[in-house]
Structure formats: structure tokens, C-alpha cells
């Protein structure tokens, strides 16, 4: 009898331990924080994921820099970023025992946009850099009307701002002091749409008829030019996790590789990487 009881106790212990492990491996929700550019993808994936797997997913759009901080502080499961992590962010992560691993969520072109009524259709990278550095301040210096250029940029915590500086203006170059700062892709688009002399930049997924994307070095931002990297202002968008993703986190991150995920990415105006 005693032997039977011991075996029963051992069985119950194993079952309890296994059940606890399962619960630990399966989070009750997924938390994402970071880029406003990746935001539409993250929110659409969240809605799909919650509907299919009945697992709550929350998405915050505080900017790529804050997304990195959230991952390092373990306050989110996935950091959404429109740039790669900086050396100092990776160093901070290492100090806290966090191992950031990047998975590409989609590809994006940073569209340089103007008001639809602006006759300028193409600028070179050098001309755009000169505008943002304040060396060119009137549209008539680049083939447009005689009017002052209203320069629009993003806030310093924006991954799109970082990528734009790195790809066009120069990483250490100073942007003209008179540049207006907007807090999101949507805010930039709204400002350009009502300002005939303005210039700004957006993730491709935010471009619509209210703004006009310019060709850069003669190349229009399109699905094919971004995918083959001929458009000179192209970049990947990322999901960052702490270590290699596993379980439901991996299911979420890998959604961009599935048929449904690719459809969502395309419908949002971004470009599939897989």
C-alpha cells in the first residue's frame, strides 16, 4: 500500500510540475512597444493573433528608442523598431542580461513627400541633404517655385528620423534649426497635406493621395524598388525579442512569414521580406 501511495504522489508531483512549466512557457498576453512606423503592422498582427488564438496582445507606439528601453527593462515582450539597435542600447541590454534578437517584420521605403501641388517630382540625395542642412532654403534652387521650403522632421526618438539621417543627411550632420518637428508619421503627413511649400518623410505605408512622394536619384519608392534595394532610402522594419523567440512569442514574430501575415503587410502598404 505504501509503495502504491508513493507512486501516486510521484505521479501527482510530476503532473503538477509539468502543468506549472506549461503555464510559465505560455504567457497570458503579449506586450509590444516601440516604433510608430511598425505600429500599423503590430496592431494588425495583434488583432489577427487575438482573434485566432484568443491571447490578448497590447501595442504601444512610443518610438523605436523607447521600444528598445522597454525590451531592456523587460517591460515588453517585443520591441518594434524601424532601425537596428544602437551600440549603446546593445551594451545596456547586456548589462541587464537581455539578449536582443532581431527578426525582420517587413521592408519599408522612407518616402520623401511634398504637397501634391508642388511641381517638383525628383530630388537627388545631395539636394535633400542640402535642404535638411539649411544649405538650400528656396524651392527655386531645386527646380520649384520661388518660395521658402518648410522643412519637416521627426522627433529625436524616432527610428524613421535616425534612418533618414543615416541614409540621406548624414549621421552626424545637423538638421537646420528652423525645421519643424512632428511626433508621428501621421502628423507629418497631415502637415504636408496642408502646406504647399513643405517637405517631409514618411514610411511608405503612410503615403496616400494627400501627399506626393518624390523620386530620389530618379527612382520612385515602389514595392519592387524597395524589395530590390534600388530605392536609395530603403530599410528593414524589426521585431526585437529577448533571445531567440519561442512559444507564442515566436508564433507572433513569425506571422510575417505566413500567407496571412504577408497579406496583412501588403494591405498596409509595406513590403514583404519573405
Amino acid at each position: 500500500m505504501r509503495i502504491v501511495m508513493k507512486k501516486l504522489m510521484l505521479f501527482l508531483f510530476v503532473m503538477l510540475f509539468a502543468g506549472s512549466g506549461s503555464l510559465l512557457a505560455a504567457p497570458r498576453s503579449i506586450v509590444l512597444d516601440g516604433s510608430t512606423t511598425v505600429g500599423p503592422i503590430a496592431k494588425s498582427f495583434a488583432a489577427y493573433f487575438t482573434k485566432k488564438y484568443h491571447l490578448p496582445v497590447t501595442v504601444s507606439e512610443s518610438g523605436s528608442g523607447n521600444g528598445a528601453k522597454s525590451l531592456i527593462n523587460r517591460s515588453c515582450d517585443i520591441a518594434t523598431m524601424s532601425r537596428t539597435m544602437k551600440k549603446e542600447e546593445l551594451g545596456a541590454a547586456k548589462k541587464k542580461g537581455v539578449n536582443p534578437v532581431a527578426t525582420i517584420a517587413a521592408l519599408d521605403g522612407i518616402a520623401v513627400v511634398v504637397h501634391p501641388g508642388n511641381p517638383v517630382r525628383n530630388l537627388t540625395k545631395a539636394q535633400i541633404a542640402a535642404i535638411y542642412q539649411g544649405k538650400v532654403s528656396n524651392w527655386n534652387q531645386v527646380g520649384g517655385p520661388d518660395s521658402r521650403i518648410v522643412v519637416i522632421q521627426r522627433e529625436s526618438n524616432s527610428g524613421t528620423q535616425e534612418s533618414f539621417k543615416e541614409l540621406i543627411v548624414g549621421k552626424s550632420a545637423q538638421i537646420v534649426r528652423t525645421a519643424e518637428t512632428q511626433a508621428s508619421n501621421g502628423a507629418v503627413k497631415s502637415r504636408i497635406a496642408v502646406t504647399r511649400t513643405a517637405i517631409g518623410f514618411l514610411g511608405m505605408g503612410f503615403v496616400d493621395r494627400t501627399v506626393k512622394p518624390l523620386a530620389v536619384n530618379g527612382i520612385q519608392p515602389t514595392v519592387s524598388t524597395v524589395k530590390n534595394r534600388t530605392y536609395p532610402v530603403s530599410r528593414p522594419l524589426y521585431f526585437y525579442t529577448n533571445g531567440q523567440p519561442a512559444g507564442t512569442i515566436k508564433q507572433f514574430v513569425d506571422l510575417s512569414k505566413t500567407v496571412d501575415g504577408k497579406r496583412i503587410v501588403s494591405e498596409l502598404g509595406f513590403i514583404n521580406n519573405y
Side-chain angles (χ1 to χ4, degrees):
M1 184 66 181
R2 180 176 290 178
I3 294 175
V4 172
M5 285 300 293
K6 279 186 175 179
K7 286 183 177 180
L8 179 60
M9 290 297 290
L10 178 61
F11 174 77
L12 291 174
F13 175 80
V14 169
M15 292 300 292
L16 179 62
F17 180 83
S20 299
S22 176
L23 287 174
L24 287 172
R28 294 177 181 177
S29 65
I30 299 175
V31 178
L32 291 89
D33 189 14
S35 166
T36 62
T37 300
V38 190
I41 299 173
K43 287 188 286 191
S44 293
F45 277 18
Y48 174 92
F49 205 81
T50 298
K51 185 178 180 181
K52 186 167 184 177
Y53 298 107
H54 308 291
L55 185 70
V57 182
T58 59
V59 178
S60 298
E61 298 171 278
S62 61
S64 294
N66 285 332
K69 288 177 184 174
S70 294
L71 187 74
I72 294 167
N73 295 328
R74 301 175 191 265
S75 57
C76 75
D77 302 299
I78 301 170
T80 54
M81 299 188 65
S82 59
R83 60 166 173 79
T84 55
M85 274 204 183
K86 299 176 183 176
K87 189 177 178 181
E88 54 267 32
E89 290 169 336
L90 293 172
K94 189 176 180 181
K95 285 182 181 176
K96 293 215 171 183
V98 172
N99 175 31
V101 172
T103 300
I104 295 178
L107 303 178
D108 185 29
I110 299 178
V112 179
V113 295
V114 297
H115 187 277
N118 191 324
V120 174
R121 296 181 179 279
N122 175 69
L123 290 175
T124 66
K125 284 178 65 174
Q127 287 173 321
I128 299 168
I131 289 171
Y132 273 85
Q133 291 169 5
K135 297 173 183 174
V136 168
S137 58
N138 192 302
W139 280 110
N140 63 13
Q141 295 173 271
V142 290
D146 180 16
S147 54
R148 184 179 69 85
I149 301 174
V150 177
V151 177
I152 310 293
Q153 66 171 343
R154 290 289 307 281
E155 75 279 22
S156 60
N157 199 40
S158 160
T160 301
Q161 174 83 357
E162 295 271 355
S163 297
F164 179 77
K165 282 193 70 178
E166 186 171 343
L167 294 168
I168 295 279
V169 186
K171 208 168 183 179
S172 58
Q174 292 294 315
I175 287 182
V176 62
R177 290 184 178 180
T178 54
E180 293 181 14
T181 300
Q182 298 292 341
S184 66
N185 285 278
V188 171
K189 183 173 70 174
S190 297
R191 184 73 172 99
I192 300 286
V194 298
T195 311
R196 294 184 70 87
T197 59
I199 186 170
F201 49 89
L202 306 167
M204 269 181 63
F206 293 87
V207 173
D208 60 22
R209 292 182 178 179
T210 64
V211 295
K212 182 172 77 174
L214 299 177
V216 178
N217 289 354
I219 301 172
Q220 283 286 348
T222 66
V223 171
S224 59
T225 60
V226 169
K227 197 153 191 171
N228 64 25
R229 308 295 177 99
T230 54
Y231 181 64
V233 207
S234 301
R235 59 174 175 172
L237 304 175
Y238 300 99
F239 289 139
Y240 271 90
T241 53
N242 179 10
Q244 290 294 339
T248 51
I249 302 294
K250 179 174 173 55
Q251 275 184 288
F252 188 93
V253 166
D254 285 348
L255 191 51
S256 57
K257 303 174 183 176
T258 68
V259 172
D260 286 343
K262 291 177 182 177
R263 174 183 53 77
I264 292 170
V265 167
S266 295
E267 287 177 352
L268 292 170
F270 294 98
I271 296 100
N272 289 302
N273 181 57
Y274 304 98

